[in-house]
Amino acid sequence: MDVLQLAAILIVLSAGFGIVNHHLLRLPRAIGILLIALLASMAVLALGALFPNMAVLVETRALVAEIDFPATLLEGMLGLLLFAGALHVDFATLRRQAGIVLLMATIGVGLSTMVFGLAFALITGFPLLVCLTFGALISPTDPVAVLGVLRDARLEESLETKIAGESLFNDGVGYTVFLVLAGLAFSTADNHASGFSAAAMLLAREAVGGVLLGLAAGWLVFMLMRRVDDPQLEILMTLALVLGAGQLAALLHVSMPLMAVTAGLLIGDVGTREGMSERTRSALPVFWHTMDELLNAVLFLIIGFEVLAISFRADFITAMLGGLVLALLGRLAAVAIPVLILKPFRGFSAGVIPIMTWGGIKGGISVALALMLPDSEWTPMILTTTYAIVVFSIIVQGLTVGWLARQFDTGQSGSIDQ
């Protein structure tokens, strides 16, 4: 099956499941599509168990196997989704929240990785470096899932900006930490010394290089947009920015996620104010919002179907349940410690720690990174546990974070968050 046929199937199924959700479930679109895809996958598994001679399970699994999920997300969809998300973030509000966002996207990811990794090693007896690698892939909140949920949760603006801003940056940091730890965990012992010495340089090159590339590419496109008054051409230029700079990031071995976020923030702020005509200011957000919705729907559909590519075993249940608890504890550490560090210097909304802890939605990035792990005796359990955490996070946390926020009255004007 070629790429066009596969894309057509995914879009048709996304539209069909979206219609079912609209008329029956009435859940937020992305969550509804994920849930329906998950139920459809379970139905296929049940049919395969009841009628093993039926070809439906084999054929459906073969179709899912044709989707290279890590490449599809990390090399294709992610840059577009991050750019679209960053484009719609209020940069002035984000700048006011820069301290907490920066701490949570850096120190927070590190804390969560250590809390999860150390505790998971105690539970399973897996090597510590392997468990820390697991902690790195499960610690970042997924900007796609987070932004999709926040659209429906109606949180207070400053709180929403904290969660959204952190999610846009921490996946780039988490991805880089994952690459470093995975290289150490799955290398030979002889390579560990050189691996540790190279880790800091890799981390700096990926992170700093991604930001600098995003600034350079975004500034170049901004300067070109100032000389053009054609909404369709300017939209095409932003699309070329994401795709072209994304390929350049891969060639230079710098962080594509951080490049896309940085470029999106620049175009969304300076570009919107000084580089666009009124016609483009109206047309550009509509295009990127549509792109965001389409890719979101397809991504959550694929996540739902990925259950067919994962082996669930009874002896994984303890790890799955432990992983769910540890992911929340790691998230709590990632939120609470930066908030406590900054609390003497600024005010925070009521309930900021529980809301941001529960609102740290995991998503497709964690599944994609887990699928990238080399084959080993530990990989099946890590993949299964990752999938369980992601599905729980999107469906349970995603559907209840708005309710939790309302218990603290975060939308009231009396908030002291600054």
Side-chain angles (χ1 to χ4, degrees):
M1 185 178 298
D2 61 33
V3 175
L4 185 58
Q5 289 174 317
L6 189 58
I9 291 172
L10 292 174
I11 291 173
V12 169
L13 287 175
S14 298
F17 289 1
I19 292 169
V20 172
N21 176 65
H22 179 78
H23 288 290
L24 295 180
L25 301 181
R26 299 187 180 277
L27 297 173
R29 186 181 298 107
I31 297 178
I33 289 173
L34 167 62
L35 185 57
I36 296 169
L38 192 60
L39 292 174
S41 299
M42 290 180 176
V44 171
L45 290 173
L47 281 174
L50 292 172
F51 307 101
N53 293 328
M54 288 181 63
V56 61
L57 179 59
V58 175
E59 292 178 1
T60 306
R61 274 187 162 158
L63 178 62
V64 172
E66 288 192 37
I67 305 172
D68 185 348
F69 187 55
T72 300
L73 176 58
L74 299 175
E75 298 175 16
M77 300 167 67
L78 185 59
L80 297 168
L81 286 163
L82 289 175
F83 182 85
L87 199 66
H88 295 102
V89 170
D90 185 334
F91 187 74
T93 306
L94 179 62
R95 189 167 52 224
R96 291 196 296 272
Q97 308 298 336
I100 187 67
V101 167
L102 181 62
L103 283 178
M104 291 180 63
T106 53
I107 295 174
V109 169
L111 287 169
S112 178
T113 297
M114 287 190 291
V115 168
F116 186 98
L118 291 170
F120 198 76
L122 291 175
I123 290 175
T124 61
F126 286 4
L128 180 58
L129 272 175
V130 171
C131 294
L132 289 173
T133 302
F134 188 9
L137 72 87
I138 206 64
S139 290
T141 55
D142 188 303
V144 180
V146 167
L147 294 171
V149 166
L150 291 183
R151 279 194 289 267
D152 300 285
R154 298 180 181 179
L155 303 181
E156 175 193 299
E157 182 185 27
S158 63
L159 187 58
E160 179 176 334
T161 301
K162 286 190 195 71
I163 299 174
E166 178 219 356
S167 71
L168 286 169
F169 284 101
N170 72 9
D171 67 300
V173 175
Y175 182 30
T176 305
V177 173
F178 165 81
L179 292 176
V180 171
L181 290 173
L184 297 173
F186 294 93
S187 66
T188 64
D190 292 338
N191 292 331
H192 279 184
S194 61
F196 278 113
S197 65
M201 184 173 294
L202 173 62
L203 192 62
R205 185 187 70 207
E206 286 271 345
V208 176
V211 171
L212 291 177
L213 179 59
L215 287 172
W219 187 260
L220 174 62
V221 170
F222 160 66
M223 295 302 291
L224 293 172
M225 291 176 75
R226 294 183 67 180
R227 292 162 172 77
V228 174
D229 185 11
D230 183 334
Q232 286 72 37
L233 178 56
E234 291 175 80
I235 289 171
L236 184 60
M237 289 162 63
T238 59
L239 192 58
L241 162 62
V242 181
L243 298 177
Q247 291 302 307
L248 187 57
L251 290 172
L252 297 175
H253 301 289
V254 299
S255 174
M256 184 275 292
L258 290 176
M259 178 283 298
V261 170
T262 305
L265 289 172
L266 191 152
I267 296 296
D269 182 52
V270 179
T272 299
R273 287 200 321 267
E274 302 179 20
M276 300 180 194
S277 66
E278 192 59 42
R279 292 192 304 158
T280 304
R281 286 194 198 99
S282 300
L284 189 72
V286 173
F287 170 82
W288 280 104
H289 180 73
T290 304
M291 176 73 76
D292 188 31
E293 290 285 341
L294 172 62
L295 293 178
N296 249 305
V298 173
L299 176 59
F300 279 74
L301 176 80
I302 297 174
I303 293 174
F305 281 145
E306 280 297 313
V307 71
L308 297 172
I310 295 172
S311 298
F312 290 89
R313 290 169 21 193
D315 55 335
F316 289 174
I317 292 176
T318 300
M320 290 167 61
L321 295 176
L324 288 172
V325 175
L326 293 179
L328 289 171
L329 289 176
R331 175 65 183 170
L332 176 61
V335 172
I337 292 177
V339 168
L340 292 175
I341 289 173
L342 292 178
K343 205 162 189 178
F345 310 103
R346 52 165 296 166
F348 286 96
S349 301
V352 63
I353 292 176
I355 294 169
M356 292 194 70
T357 298
W358 196 248
I361 312 296
K362 317 299 182 183
I365 290 174
S366 294
V367 176
L369 294 180
L371 287 168
M372 288 174 59
L373 290 172
D375 289 334
S376 71
E377 59 185 292
W378 314 292
T379 301
M381 183 183 285
I382 290 176
L383 180 56
T384 304
T385 305
T386 299
Y387 193 81
I389 293 170
V390 167
V391 170
F392 175 88
S393 178
I394 293 173
I395 295 177
V396 178
Q397 293 174 233
L399 290 176
T400 56
V401 65
W403 172 86
L404 179 63
R406 288 191 291 274
Q407 307 314 301
F408 291 95
D409 294 324
T410 60
Q412 292 185 4
S413 58
S415 166
I416 59 172
D417 200 1
Q418 298 172 6

